[in-house]
Amino acid sequence: MASRSCANFLDLASGGLLDIPQTPRTLPRVMTVPGIISDADGYDSNDGDSDATSSGSRERKIIVANMLPLHAKRDTETGRWCFSLDEDLLLLHLKDGFSSDTEVIYVGSLKADIDASEQEEVAQKLLDDFNCVPTFLPHDLQKKFYLGFCKQHLWPLFHYMLPMCPDHGDRFDRVLWQAYVSANKIFADKVMEVINPDDDCVWVHDYHLMVLPTFLRKRFNRIKLGFFLHSPFPSSEIYRTLPVRDEILRGLLNCDLIGFHTFDYARHFLSCCSRMLGLDYESKRGHIGLDYFGRTVYIKILPVGVHMGRLESVLNLPATATKIKEIEKQFDGKKLILGIDDMDIFKGISLKLLAMEQLLQQHPGMRGKVVLVQIVNPARGSGKDVQEAKKETYLTAKRINEVYGSPNYEPVVLIDRPVPRFEKSAYYAVAECCIVNAVRDGMNLVPYKYIVCRQGTPIMDEALGRERDSPHTSMLVVSEFIGCSPSLSGAIRVNPWDIDAVADAMTLAINMRDSEKQLRHEKHYRYVSTHDVAYWACSFAQDLERACRDHYSKRCWGIGLGLGFRVLSLSPSFRRLSIDHIVSAYRKTERRAIFLDYDGTVVPETSIIKSPGPEVISVLKTLCSDPNNTVFIVSGRGRSSLSEWLAPCEMLGIAAEHGYFIRWNKTSEWETNHLGADLEWKKIVEPVMRSYTEATDGSNIEIKESALVWHHQDADPDFGSCQAKELLDHLESVLANEPAVVKRGQHIVEVKPQGVSKGLVAEKVLVRMFNGGRPPDFVMCVGDDRSDEDMFESILSTVSGPSLPVPPEIFACTVGRKPSKAKYYLDDATDVLKLLQGLATASSSKPRHLADIEVSFESDATQISQKLKCHHGDVDKIEVDMEILSNMLLSSLILHLLVPLGALFRSSDSDFLMSIVLAF
């Protein structure tokens, strides 16, 4: 079949598309090699975004779902397939939320098996007539994908049903999972056939297609991609039992926007991301966002609505008015309670019948006056559980009718057949009360439809002979465990498992005063009529556009294999630090300042042993031994542990406890930051932290000389995060007038003195170099957490002043790919060690001709150095052994020797230094 995008190429012959300019590209598509990102334009990259042509100015939405919104049947006379739109499906209604000039394309499967020989013809017909792209899954694959993995694994799990034993669900089957992945890949391929990735928005629906986003994101890094889950999302305790839990989570996180019906479902998803992937979320201007490798994945919470026009058009049908009259006559003198549910184990039909039985038993006076009409929709799946639920429903209804019924009264009326829409609408319009008693359901629009039908229409009222301004009433009894429950504040909410409570709720609903019923109805109708399916679709589309607006302001780099694929999104100025690049700059400079964080930078954050290894000590010693280097470890750790661990590095500077204590080398004394000398606030903070430690299992307090740190890394992620926020608020309140600051970091809450930060350490070291006449020409700073951002900022501000004639080379580098004030990043502590080893090699290595004569002239260099020191500033008294100097045949060697001696001379001695050089 010809794709829609390819078909547009054919129009070029008429000249229709030649005037459409190409979308401008100001940023490269991908990182072409590890290291510095290529500046090549995206058209020549392997991102793939440029493969499809522009479809013109018309906006397009691609809706992807398991099934297309079509009816399919074969004409018995011609043998040809006939198709028609399924006007009742949500997917067809949501296009009302888009602008009138938006083209909507549907991708999904047909509810019929099409022979392979007919598929190409059918596909072209569906694309031309209905804007639909069929997937044509092979029959065996469709069975394993839908009836297998979707219905046997995902659907029960998402409804809180675990396969505890073979009689209660099927155990995980890897073959079915592979079928699920294969089916999702076919759906993705079909989307790729028609998409223009630069302009089109793709909206994927429901749990059948949760890894589809990975395939699309891998092909088109900047695709505008949204997903909406129409089922519940289970709590992390349930979800994490799924063996492929990470693959599905990562699939969803490859979207730009993920939608849920309720906050509970979204909260469960966020909890899973936190517990299993270590991702934190935050609210950004009212929108919940997850930072995922530089991309922000937004969370949308909005229940779907009904199509008002469709419902009202059915109410206006003459057949509906006729049916209403029949129902009113059939149940004359009785109050009708209505239930409409699919036949499955989660809809709670049998529990509803038991509540009706309880009502009749407790209230004999209501026998003969109340009827429960239960319409049973055909089951969407097949299996032993469905048959058992159906059997239980019939047996319960039969028992109730036998015990409480009479020849002219049947308390429970079961309608187990296909019921046309007009007949359902008639039952909605007549029922005094509607009950939805599901034990778990994603959304359930039955209450919304009931409210709209009870409101009626002027045409229906006229057909029934009702007054136009007559008051409308409705009563709802809804389960707490369905998605629509939070939005129906006037409904009576029940626990479906509590039979007595449900029976009492039904009694209350029947006997409530009409005035209160009217108030509840009006409140519900206002909400339902303003939050219809068009509002839902429009809101989601707007949020998806907002979530994607920064796509081309960043550079993309695809990483990961298979279903672990994700896109690393970096700002244009943020790039991986090339070791060759920094070593080259290092060799060309002579006054270097190097600042290194400790945990997570030179020592891995996950390491149980926190002391540095022999490789780290060796490389630090080499760097410190270079007289051109000023090297500092700047850490939040205490000075005692740092002094002990780094004792072999005698010339290494150490800033402990974020700079509260500073030591310039091993022989110097510790300097204390006098701005934070008042530590009386610790007496206030420690008892507060201890109370939170006692209440939070897995937390602990780290007591430093100048600070107190509350750690919750080993606590429950959700509870620990919640407690950290509470502790932060608590401490900020009690320390409002104290010289201390409270900061929250990665799994910590820290209180430290005011005026103490890593940034101030960097500033102090650099200022001392300036004042000593050795302004740095090379500054490197490497760190991994929030406190190191102060150093990055401080370095940039300190060395950017006008006092420096030549700005130094600055390498601010964060560890890990994340938003940062640093310009560069390295992946982990291993990369940092490789970087330091590269610099150390550059420090210890010498030109080849110098290395050959180093041994013979080492003692001579010492003699010259001693003589120059003795006669500093007095040229006449310098006694230079010319015989020794005459052996130094290369003037480059003299220059090499004079570099470490340069610090001994004032600027006025420059003539003397030049005379030494010219002598050779």
Side-chain angles (χ1 to χ4, degrees), residues 621-657:
K621 285 180 66 176
T622 303
L623 289 174
C624 296
S625 300
D626 190 332
N628 293 332
N629 293 345
T630 300
V631 186
F632 259 83
I633 290 289
V634 187
S635 172
R637 285 191 174 272
R639 56 177 173 174
S640 58
S641 54
L642 291 175
S643 298
E644 179 185 351
W645 294 338
L646 300 170
C649 308
E650 296 185 357
M651 299 304 296
L652 178 66
I654 299 176
E657 299 190 20

Side-chain angles (χ1 to χ4, degrees), residues 530-551:
T530 56
H531 292 72
D532 61 355
V533 66
Y535 173 86
W536 171 75
C538 179
S539 180
F540 189 92
Q542 289 176 349
D543 279 8
L544 179 57
E545 287 287 349
R546 180 185 52 78
C548 300
R549 66 188 174 192
D550 293 334
H551 273 194

Side-chain angles (χ1 to χ4, degrees), residues 229-472:
L229 183 66
H230 293 270
S231 74
F233 195 93
S235 65
S236 60
E237 287 73 17
I238 299 294
Y239 178 79
R240 62 185 174 187
T241 62
L242 186 64
V244 290
R245 60 192 190 182
D246 287 359
E247 291 87 338
I248 289 178
L249 281 183
R250 293 191 185 280
L252 294 178
L253 289 170
N254 274 318
C255 295
D256 297 295
L257 179 66
I258 307 171
F260 300 92
H261 287 305
T262 72
F263 176 70
D264 273 350
Y265 303 161
R267 178 169 55 84
H268 294 157
F269 172 76
L270 294 170
S271 176
C272 289
C273 291
S274 173
R275 291 171 179 271
M276 296 165 211
L277 302 180
L279 302 177
D280 292 326
Y281 68 91
E282 61 180 349
S283 181
K284 301 179 179 180
R285 296 184 179 272
H287 301 278
I288 299 174
L290 276 163
D291 185 74
Y292 187 59
F293 290 90
R295 293 173 50 246
T296 300
V297 181
Y298 287 94
I299 305 299
K300 174 81 171 173
I301 302 168
L302 183 66
V304 71
V306 294
H307 193 287
M308 296 293 294
R310 174 68 177 162
L311 289 171
E312 290 171 349
S313 65
V314 175
L315 290 174
N316 291 334
L317 294 174
T320 304
T322 302
K323 190 63 182 179
I324 290 175
K325 293 176 182 177
E326 291 179 7
I327 297 172
E328 288 178 338
K329 182 178 179 181
Q330 179 184 355
F331 298 104
D332 185 35
K334 301 179 181 66
K335 292 189 176 182
L336 182 64
I337 301 176
L338 178 66
I340 300 181
D341 303 280
D342 295 343
M343 177 53 73
D344 71 51
I345 58 176
F346 297 111
K347 291 299 187 284
I349 298 176
S350 60
L351 295 175
K352 187 188 305 181
L353 297 181
L354 292 175
M356 181 65 182
E357 183 179 34
Q358 186 81 342
L359 183 152
L360 296 173
Q361 180 182 346
Q362 292 179 347
H363 305 278
M366 298 185 72
R367 299 172 190 174
K369 297 179 181 179
V370 178
V371 175
L372 172 63
V373 175
Q374 177 63 53
I375 298 176
V376 180
N377 297 323
R380 299 186 185 185
S382 59
K384 184 170 63 176
D385 54 349
V386 173
Q387 299 304 318
E388 289 178 353
K390 190 171 185 177
K391 180 180 178 181
E392 183 182 6
T393 297
Y394 272 89
L395 290 175
T396 306
K398 181 180 179 182
R399 183 180 72 245
I400 294 172
N401 289 335
E402 288 176 351
V403 174
Y404 301 104
S406 63
N408 298 321
Y409 172 61
E410 196 174 30
V412 177
V413 178
L414 274 181
I415 303 177
D416 188 7
R417 57 175 172 80
V419 179
R421 178 164 287 276
F422 78 87
E423 186 176 349
K424 287 182 181 177
S425 298
Y427 275 106
Y428 280 134
V430 173
E432 285 280 327
C433 172
C434 180
I435 176 170
V436 180
N437 204 48
V439 297
R440 188 72 60 180
D441 208 351
M443 181 60 191
N444 202 312
L445 293 174
V446 166
Y448 287 12
K449 295 174 182 178
Y450 167 69
I451 291 164
V452 175
C453 291
R454 286 291 288 179
Q455 181 69 18
T457 66
I459 295 177
M460 186 188 80
D461 290 342
E462 184 178 348
L464 296 174
R466 297 175 181 171
E467 294 182 10
R468 176 167 296 187
D469 297 329
S470 59
H472 300 281

